[in-house]
Amino acid sequence: MARYSVSNGSSGTMQANTTTYKTQISLTAATGGTTLRRGWVYDLNVGADGTPADNAMVYKVDRQTTVGTATTITAAPLDAADAAALLVSSANHTAEPTVTASTQLLEVAVNQRASYRWVAAPGSELIVPATNVAGLGLRSKSPAYTGTVTAQWQFYE
Amino acid sequence: MLRAGGWACITDPDLGVKQADTFTCVHCQKVTHVRAGASPYELGGHCRLCDALICKECVGKECTPFMKQVEEAEERAFRMMNYGSV
């Protein structure tokens, strides 16, 4: 299985955080019937990249059923010999995707000056079903911080 | 944690590096952080049918392995796409 990395710093304009969740990166199954494939997210990093201050940040990963409006990112293969990813990576959403309620798979509150990383052991990855435009989104919000967030994850398909 | 399902790390300039094991619920895929010394009942439970850990919200509920849900969702999507109905 080929492994890929996606970051919201790759392309597009990072969106400012608000008091409501802002999707930083998302990973969805392809829209075509012949390119549907499952994906497994196994490593993610996230942190605020604005001027350091003591504010609360909340990051979460949950499921979504649409892509929303975002910049399409070309996932970088960790092995340059691998083909392009079939899963669709998007970042810096200007219109939020449709989030499936009560599907917070990973949710953590940290200080704005802190960064968070999660790595899955084999067999415990977050799965993207091979269902048209269904997928996962990494989102952030803050009651006071209005800067941007750097989010990156790695997946395989 | 024996055979942890993952590892989480918070790097804070004041508190330093805080690490924790995690496990992924076999029913809903929710990731639970395992604090050292936490009561097992606070963290979730163990599904004897799946023989795997489940999160607190899935304790007491019917066994529905997530991979089974994925396969059912994919089957529904395949039928909708190819036959126009589920």
Side-chain angles (χ1 to χ4, degrees):
Chain A
M1 291 185 176
R3 298 174 184 267
Y4 304 88
S5 174
V6 177
S7 166
N8 68 338
S10 303
S11 183
T13 304
M14 289 188 183
Q15 302 297 304
N17 269 252
T18 64
T19 54
T20 56
Y21 280 109
K22 181 69 73 175
T23 302
Q24 303 300 330
I25 47 176
S26 66
L27 184 65
T28 54
T31 55
T34 57
T35 53
L36 283 175
R37 183 176 289 189
R38 283 181 199 166
W40 290 261
V41 175
Y42 64 90
D43 192 341
L44 66 87
N45 288 280
V46 64
D49 60 358
T51 302
D54 283 323
N55 294 310
M57 298 291 300
V58 183
Y59 303 113
K60 72 168 181 174
V61 175
D62 48 14
R63 301 202 175 277
Q64 58 190 55
T65 54
T66 65
V67 178
T69 303
T71 303
T72 301
I73 303 289
T74 301
L78 298 190
D79 184 344
D82 283 322
L86 293 180
L87 289 167
V88 176
S89 299
S90 306
N92 305 319
H93 291 61
T94 53
E96 287 298 298
T98 303
V99 176
T100 307
S102 303
T103 59
Q104 291 90 335
L105 306 181
L106 183 64
E107 192 166 23
V108 62
V110 298
N111 190 296
Q112 177 197 325
R113 296 190 289 161
S115 62
Y116 177 81
R117 184 183 182 195
W118 174 74
V119 182
S124 298
E125 301 90 346
L126 300 179
I127 299 172
V128 176
T131 306
N132 199 6
V133 298
L136 299 171
L138 174 58
R139 318 183 211 285
S140 66
K141 70 173 181 179
S142 173
Y145 176 66
T146 56
T148 55
V149 161
T150 296
Q152 178 263 349
W153 63 19
Q154 296 180 11
F155 65 94
Y156 64 86
E157 60 175 39
Chain B
M1 180 180 173
L2 189 65
R3 290 196 298 271
W7 169 82
C9 173
I10 296 175
T11 305
D12 189 291
D14 293 329
L15 302 177
V17 177
K18 298 291 182 185
Q19 303 179 60
D21 288 333
T22 68
F23 69 87
T24 305
C25 175
V26 71
H27 287 175
C28 70
Q29 284 232 301
K30 180 180 175 182
V31 175
T32 300
H33 294 77
V34 180
R35 299 185 314 277
S39 166
Y41 302 104
E42 293 177 2
L43 300 175
H46 177 258
C47 176
R48 295 183 181 182
L49 295 176
C50 301
D51 191 22
L53 296 175
I54 56 176
C55 67
K56 203 163 46 173
E57 286 74 21
C58 288
V59 171
K61 294 182 180 176
E62 184 183 345
C63 172
T64 50
F66 185 75
M67 282 312 301
K68 184 179 177 184
Q69 298 176 45
V70 167
E71 290 167 2
E72 289 175 352
E74 292 172 350
E75 178 66 23
R76 280 196 302 271
F78 177 81
R79 288 176 183 277
M80 281 298 294
M81 195 181 304
N82 291 279
Y83 308 132
S85 66
V86 178

